Amino acid sequence: MLGPNRYGKAETRLVRVHRDGDTHGLVDLNVSIALSGDLSATHLTGDNSGVLPTDTMKNTVYAFAKQHGVGEPEEFALLLARHFVRTQGQVDSARVSVESFGWDRLGPHSFQRRGDHTRTTVVTVTRDATQVVSGITGLVLMNTTASEFHGFVRDRYTTLPETTDRILATAVDAKWRHLSDEADWGKSFQGAVDAMTTAFVNTYSFSLQQTLMSMGTLVLSGRPEIAEIRLTLPNKHHYLVDLSVFNLENENEVFIAGDRPYGLIEGTVTRDDVPPATTEWYL
């Protein structure tokens, strides 16, 4: 028996240059499309009469970039997803995921790629509903103090010492679901990122879990268009180096930056009585 399924074109790389005289604009996206619906025939008998080629999906991305331009990633994803549901009768749901890579302007037509984070968008359009999820990945943050960790459970395998002064570092992976499919997407994105970084800076942390809650709460309090936010925070451990063998004291100054293993803290902060999501959104 055939269960849930979907198919599409993954990671179509798109660079769109908007030319306004001598001043150019630059958009750099990675676009993935997945369609689902009445597709049982191709699975069960090889009948492809209801299958839109994935190559066509790729071509649609490029054609739409020319015909409509590319602004905010949410807008472009909505345009694509609605197109596939509207034009393909066998398609019940279109999911468009976008990674947006930032570039800083150096001149009228010169740019420098930003490497501090990647903006993300996942839009799902069905016959009955539309869901927009925005996000960010790879936002690396660090506090060199104002973080403690003690009072935790101990058993026979616990060796971690308690601390009242530690480095707290993480690489934020956050996704937030919007209450509607209309918003000032750029302002909303920047406002959410600003709230997360502000909360990280200003929270005296006794655990990364506490910091996660502070970050999510500040996003929701300042962005009424956001229904809920899912945060994934790896704990980027920094270990104090033992310098006593060199007759030197290490007063929380010299550390080893750990790679793996690492702690992983995940949680969702949501509004009371928030409308349910139309589809799974934080995976």
Side-chain angles (χ1 to χ4, degrees):
M1 178 177 178
L2 179 67
N5 61 87
R6 62 187 180 189
Y7 82 108
K9 200 69 162 182
E11 300 198 34
T12 297
R13 291 289 284 114
L14 167 66
V15 174
R16 176 60 155 96
V17 178
H18 295 97
R19 300 179 183 273
D20 183 13
D22 293 333
T23 301
H24 296 173
L26 181 65
V27 179
D28 186 357
L29 304 180
N30 195 23
V31 182
S32 295
I33 298 165
L35 308 181
S36 60
D38 184 9
L39 299 168
S40 58
T42 188
H43 289 88
L44 300 178
T45 68
D47 177 0
N48 295 322
S49 58
V51 176
L52 182 73
T54 66
D55 189 67
T56 304
M57 300 179 201
K58 175 203 67 179
N59 293 340
T60 304
V61 171
Y62 294 132
F64 273 34
K66 170 59 179 176
Q67 293 173 324
H68 304 284
V70 183
E72 300 293 339
E74 291 86 353
E75 293 174 347
F76 193 59
L78 282 165
L79 186 70
L80 287 166
R82 287 168 174 162
H83 164 78
F84 291 119
V85 172
R86 185 181 68 251
T87 61
Q88 301 298 313
Q90 75 284 9
V91 171
D92 297 330
S93 176
R95 177 186 174 106
V96 178
S97 304
V98 179
E99 293 177 308
S100 179
F101 308 109
W103 291 79
D104 291 323
R105 180 178 297 281
L106 299 178
H109 53 263
S110 302
F111 302 86
Q112 177 177 306
R113 170 76 178 266
R114 287 202 304 265
D116 54 340
H117 67 263
T118 299
R119 180 175 173 178
T120 63
T121 298
V122 179
V123 166
T124 304
V125 173
T126 68
R127 302 273 172 203
D128 304 316
T130 299
Q131 181 171 282
V132 180
V133 174
S134 301
I136 190 170
T137 185
L139 178 64
V140 180
L141 303 174
M142 177 187 288
N143 283 331
T144 56
T145 190
S147 176
E148 304 182 15
F149 190 58
H150 50 79
F152 45 82
V153 174
R154 289 188 171 277
D155 67 12
R156 60 180 296 191
Y157 303 112
T158 302
T159 60
L160 184 70
E162 296 189 343
T163 180
T164 58
D165 188 5
R166 67 170 180 170
I167 287 178
L168 184 67
T170 189
V172 178
D173 185 353
K175 300 177 178 66
W176 50 94
R177 180 170 67 92
H178 293 271
L179 285 166
S180 77
D181 58 1
E182 294 183 358
D184 184 335
W185 303 114
K187 182 178 180 181
S188 179
F189 173 79
Q190 193 57 55
V193 174
D194 289 346
M196 285 187 287
T197 55
T198 296
F200 184 86
V201 169
N202 293 327
T203 299
Y204 191 101
S205 180
F206 292 94
S207 68
L208 190 50
Q209 288 90 334
Q210 176 196 9
T211 300
L212 180 151
M213 188 66 187
S214 296
M215 294 169 70
T217 300
L218 193 59
V219 169
L220 295 186
S221 66
R223 307 306 314 176
E225 73 278 9
I226 296 175
E228 52 187 331
I229 179 169
R230 171 79 172 182
L231 290 138
T232 299
L233 303 181
N235 195 341
K236 297 292 188 178
H237 300 301
H238 289 71
Y239 304 104
L240 202 65
V241 178
D242 182 6
L243 299 179
S244 62
V245 294
F246 311 119
N247 294 320
L248 297 172
E249 291 188 17
N250 191 356
E251 299 176 345
N252 270 2
E253 296 173 314
V254 181
F255 297 86
I256 299 171
D259 178 18
R260 60 194 65 179
Y262 52 86
L264 185 61
I265 312 302
E266 299 176 287
T268 302
V269 183
T270 185
R271 298 185 185 278
D272 294 336
D273 302 320
V274 67
T278 58
T279 187
E280 187 60 84
W281 64 273
Y282 56 77
L283 295 179

